Amino acid sequence: RVAQHGDEGASHAVTYYAVVETSAQKLAWVSLKPVTGRTHQLRAHMAHIDHAIVGDPKYFNKENWQLPGGIQKKLHLLARRIVIPHPRGGVIDATAPLPPHMLQSWNLLGLEADRFDPIENAPED
């Protein structure tokens, strides 16, 4: 659940976000960078600002929203890039391609799947 500031047991959570690209007036590709690591953090934050992630079975009310033709009702969330420190120095920098259902959606909506990530260098705190 989304807790209010000061609620007993509430944990502070921070997510940076930026709109990468939009499609019409209804859909947007959003880049998210979690600073804290709470359960469902990205999904809850997006739902809290009334922009739930398409196909999210917990936070996206897919029964009451008509998806444009061809977009699958699967979760459209991907850890596209992760950079972690390597125990012997340096970093591990791993990227992943869009899964087929998301690539299909990007193609249908005319989004550029390899577009630059605008928050790549967002602060870590």
Side-chain angles (χ1 to χ4, degrees):
R1 75 176 178 87
V2 176
Q4 299 301 314
H5 183 70
D7 283 357
E8 185 176 333
S11 297
H12 183 71
V14 176
T15 300
Y16 289 105
Y17 71 95
V19 175
V20 177
E21 199 171 1
T22 61
S23 180
Q25 298 292 318
K26 293 260 184 188
L27 297 169
W29 171 10
V30 179
S31 177
L32 304 167
K33 183 175 184 177
V35 176
T36 51
R38 308 290 179 237
T39 303
H40 300 285
Q41 176 177 323
L42 302 177
R43 297 163 63 189
H45 277 167
M46 292 306 294
H48 181 68
I49 63 171
D50 293 325
H51 295 286
I53 298 168
V54 169
D56 186 337
K58 187 169 184 76
Y59 297 96
F60 180 77
N61 189 348
K62 60 188 175 185
E63 286 78 28
N64 294 325
W65 199 77
Q66 290 295 323
L67 291 170
I71 294 181
Q72 297 178 41
K73 293 181 179 184
K74 292 182 178 181
L75 182 62
H76 283 61
L77 178 64
L78 170 70
R80 187 139 187 207
R81 181 174 186 222
I82 186 166
V83 180
I84 54 175
H86 191 281
R88 289 180 241 164
V91 296
I92 298 171
D93 188 341
T95 58
L98 292 175
H101 74 281
M102 288 177 67
L103 185 57
Q104 177 184 0
S105 296
W106 265 235
N107 290 336
L108 286 167
L109 297 168
L111 301 173
E112 296 178 46
D114 58 353
R115 193 168 171 118
F116 171 74
D117 183 343
I119 62 168
E120 182 175 320
N121 297 314
E124 296 297 324
D125 52 14

